[in-house]
Amino acid sequence: MNAPQSHEPDPYEEVLVSPRYLAGMGENGEASFAPVAHWPRHNLGDSPCQLLVTSPDHRIRIGWHGDEWDIWKITASPESIGAPRWTASFNHLTAPEIVAGLTAALARDYAESGTHDDEARFLERPSMYWRDALQPLIDAGWRRGVGELGVVEIIAPDGQAGARLDRRFIGEDEDAVTLWSGPPGWGTRAEATFTSGTPSHLIAATAAAMTITAPVVRERHMVNADLQHLITITPITPPAPRPPRAPTPLDVRRTAVTEAVNRAARAPRSAADLRVMAARSRTTGTAQNRPYNPIPAAALPTRSPTARHPR
């Protein structure tokens, strides 16, 4: 592999990317699991679900399907072993920081509920008002678009992200809400889908994560080349140099020892050394006391332009 030219940016340079909903997944999805890092973690090897993080009572399940279209599949059930009441899925282009909006809300809901609590917030029925699920987008200045009858469309100011909520009668296992970002296409559009039974406040928590204006960190090569004209990439400046610290007592002692050694090295070591130094001092002093009589320029010998050769 050829090394990058000096004028080319380092592909492994860390950069800040905004908006975050176009930043892509990055190196891995670890940021999505950060809010539930204290929950049990099950590594399942080569199975379709390679990593499963569950609530302590196993009613909430966060699965990582690294080789599939929908990488994250998140469910909640009234019982540890049972059919999920709702499912949320995030595809391979979704920024983990947005998935973390949902996992953080689930961690809060679980902490506030008791074990096997049927009234836990992560199991409540969705609101009949669509704004309860999408209000964070409205508050952030996203506008309502023109959709089909019974469908609510919300679009970001840059037109590169949005939400679609289907208010028509659909089954409990069907997708009712989709959060999206990026142009249409397998390699450019991130999507998060929620089935109709998903609590509205959990959808709102995910939507709110999309509106955060703070950029996210990526390595430059992780940024989708097809999206670079739609995002802002800012190199991370190196940290400022640390101010010099005050010398410690140990530093002071070491400096004193070093200076003493240098003085000893310069000092004469024998009577002969003293006589030589005295002779040098007298010679230098005599030379310094002599008057300065510069030789006139006219007295300096010059070379004849036609020098004669001796016979």
Side-chain angles (χ1 to χ4, degrees), residues 3 71 87 91 116 125 140 154 159 166 174 193 198 207 213 215-217 237-238 254-255 259 281 284 297:
I71 288 186
T87 300
N91 78 351
H116 303 298
R125 295 297 178 182
I154 306 292
D166 195 337
E174 295 184 77
T193 58
T198 308
T213 57
V216 295
V217 178
T237 56
R254 286 175 175 171
T255 301
E259 292 178 350
S281 177
T284 302

Side-chain angles (χ1 to χ4, degrees), residues 230-255:
L230 300 174
I231 61 181
T232 300
I233 301 175
T234 307
I236 298 178
T237 56
R242 298 176 60 182
R245 60 180 177 84
T248 64
L250 179 59
D251 293 332
V252 174
R253 290 197 298 271
R254 286 175 175 171
T255 301

Side-chain angles (χ1 to χ4, degrees), residues 2-275:
N2 295 328
Q5 300 298 320
S6 58
H7 63 277
E8 296 179 353
D10 180 1
Y12 296 97
E13 173 190 20
E14 287 192 334
V15 295
L16 299 175
V17 180
S18 62
R20 61 175 49 200
Y21 50 71
L22 295 178
M25 190 180 72
E27 184 176 6
N28 54 55
E30 195 59 36
S32 64
F33 296 99
V36 291
H38 55 295
W39 284 7
R41 194 178 184 110
H42 313 276
N43 292 302
L44 304 180
D46 295 332
S47 65
C49 180
Q50 298 161 9
L51 173 66
L52 181 64
V53 176
T54 67
S55 59
D57 62 5
H58 290 255
R59 290 193 295 167
I60 300 174
R61 307 178 189 96
I62 305 169
W64 169 266
H65 301 248
D67 298 327
E68 298 186 10
W69 165 265
D70 289 327
I71 288 186
W72 291 270
K73 293 180 182 179
I74 303 174
T75 65
S77 305
E79 300 177 353
S80 300
I81 300 177
R85 179 166 292 180
W86 57 265
T87 300
S89 300
F90 299 81
N91 78 351
H92 64 295
L93 298 176
T94 307
E97 293 83 356
I98 292 175
V99 183
L102 174 57
T103 57
L106 287 171
R108 289 192 296 270
D109 284 359
Y110 187 82
E112 295 170 359
S113 69
T115 304
H116 303 298
D117 181 6
D118 292 336
E119 303 299 323
R121 286 200 75 196
F122 60 83
L123 293 173
E124 68 182 19
R125 295 297 178 182
S127 170
M128 62 181 296
Y129 303 104
W130 66 265
R131 282 183 175 269
D132 290 339
L134 302 182
Q135 189 63 43
L137 305 181
I138 302 296
D139 293 342
W142 295 30
R143 67 183 186 277
R144 185 168 179 179
V146 179
E148 307 171 50
L149 183 63
V151 175
V152 177
E153 296 273 2
I154 306 292
I155 308 297
D158 64 359
Q160 297 303 320
R164 184 180 188 275
L165 186 149
D166 195 337
R167 304 182 68 194
R168 297 170 296 188
F169 177 79
I170 57 177
E172 288 190 359
D173 295 333
E174 295 184 77
D175 294 336
V177 178
T178 299
L179 302 176
W180 60 268
S181 61
W186 182 89
T188 53
R189 172 152 292 190
E191 286 187 350
T193 58
F194 304 84
T195 57
S196 60
T198 308
S200 298
H201 75 282
L202 295 179
I203 300 174
T206 312
M210 295 182 67
T211 67
I212 297 175
T213 57
V216 295
V217 178
R218 296 288 187 270
E219 291 181 0
R220 191 178 288 273
H221 69 93
M222 297 175 183
V223 179
N224 190 331
D226 294 330
L227 301 179
Q228 288 191 8
H229 65 290
L230 300 174
I231 61 181
T232 300
I233 301 175
T234 307
I236 298 178
T237 56
R242 298 176 60 182
R245 60 180 177 84
T248 64
L250 179 59
D251 293 332
V252 174
R253 290 197 298 271
R254 286 175 175 171
T255 301
V257 170
T258 301
E259 292 178 350
V261 170
N262 291 336
R263 286 195 301 270
R266 293 192 298 269
R269 300 183 180 180
S270 66
D273 292 333
L274 291 173
R275 287 194 296 272

